[in-house]
Amino acid sequence: MTTKTFSAKPGQVEQNWWLVDGEDQIVGRLASDIAVRLMGKHRPTYTPHVDTGDFVIVVNAEKVKFSGNKWEKKRYTWYTGYTGQRSESAEERLESHPDQILREAVRRMLPKNKLATKMLSKLKIFVGPDHTHQAQNPQKLEGLGQVRQKKRG
C-alpha cells in the first residue's frame, strides 16, 4: 500500500486574513510566528515552492518590545553606494519608522528567494490600533509570540 504525497498548486489554497496586536510583544518571537503564517508552515498542505501562506495584519507596531538592552545595542546598517555604511540604533528606528523594525525581523526569517517577496507583501503593518483591511474580515489571532515550554512527564 502506497500513499501519495500532496503537492499544492498555485491558487489552490484558500488564504485567510489574521489580525495580530503587537502591543507588549517581543519582536523576535512575534516575527518567527508571523513568518510561519506567511510561509504556510502551519498548514498540513505546506508546499515549499508554492505560496500557501495567509495574510497577516499587525496593529500597534510601535509598541513592540526587545528583551534585554537591545534598544540601545542593536544596530541596523545599510549600504548607500557611497563610502561607509549608514547605521542607526533600534531606538532611532522606532522614532522614525516603527513599522520597519518588525518588517525587517520577519523578512530575515523568510526564505531567501523570489517567493519570499510575495510572502512579505502579504504582511500589512500599521502604527496604531486602526487598519484599512476591515473588508477582508480578519480573524483575531491570539497566542503569537508567547514562550512555549515543553511538558515534561
Side-chain angles (χ1 to χ4, degrees):
M1 180 159 270
T2 61
T3 59
K4 288 189 172 186
T5 302
F6 177 80
S7 182
K9 310 291 186 288
Q12 185 180 18
V13 178
E14 178 189 342
Q15 296 176 328
N16 300 324
W17 285 77
W18 299 103
L19 179 65
V20 177
D21 189 7
E23 187 171 0
D24 296 330
Q25 299 281 343
I26 296 180
V27 173
R29 293 183 179 148
L30 180 62
S32 65
D33 288 341
I34 289 173
V36 166
R37 291 278 171 178
L38 291 175
M39 287 186 277
K41 283 192 165 187
H42 65 288
R43 299 175 185 257
T45 59
Y46 169 69
T47 307
H49 64 279
V50 178
D51 187 12
T52 57
D54 294 336
F55 288 84
V56 178
I57 302 167
V58 180
V59 294
N60 293 323
E62 77 283 1
K63 296 180 182 176
V64 293
K65 293 182 177 179
F66 278 115
S67 58
N69 58 355
K70 292 184 187 130
W71 284 117
E72 299 86 26
K73 297 274 184 183
K74 185 167 181 62
R75 306 293 296 176
Y76 292 96
T77 60
W78 64 96
Y79 181 63
T80 62
Y82 290 99
T83 313
Q85 286 188 332
R86 296 285 310 216
S87 172
E88 66 183 355
S89 69
E91 264 181 328
E92 294 165 351
R93 179 154 295 186
L94 181 70
E95 293 171 8
S96 60
H97 302 289
D99 58 322
Q100 292 298 321
I101 291 175
L102 190 59
R103 186 178 311 278
E104 276 296 302
V106 171
R107 182 187 67 83
R108 292 173 180 174
M109 292 182 186
L110 293 175
K112 282 38 173 196
N113 55 22
K114 293 178 184 178
L115 194 56
T117 307
K118 286 180 67 176
M119 292 176 188
L120 194 61
S121 70
K122 295 186 302 181
L123 175 64
K124 315 296 182 187
I125 300 177
F126 293 94
V127 176
D130 301 325
H131 62 89
T132 59
H133 296 284
Q134 286 86 9
Q136 282 74 24
N137 196 16
Q139 301 164 358
K140 195 161 182 77
L141 195 56
E142 299 290 336
L144 286 188
Q146 304 299 321
V147 178
R148 293 184 259 318
Q149 295 183 0
K150 292 183 179 179
K151 291 183 180 178
R152 298 184 184 197

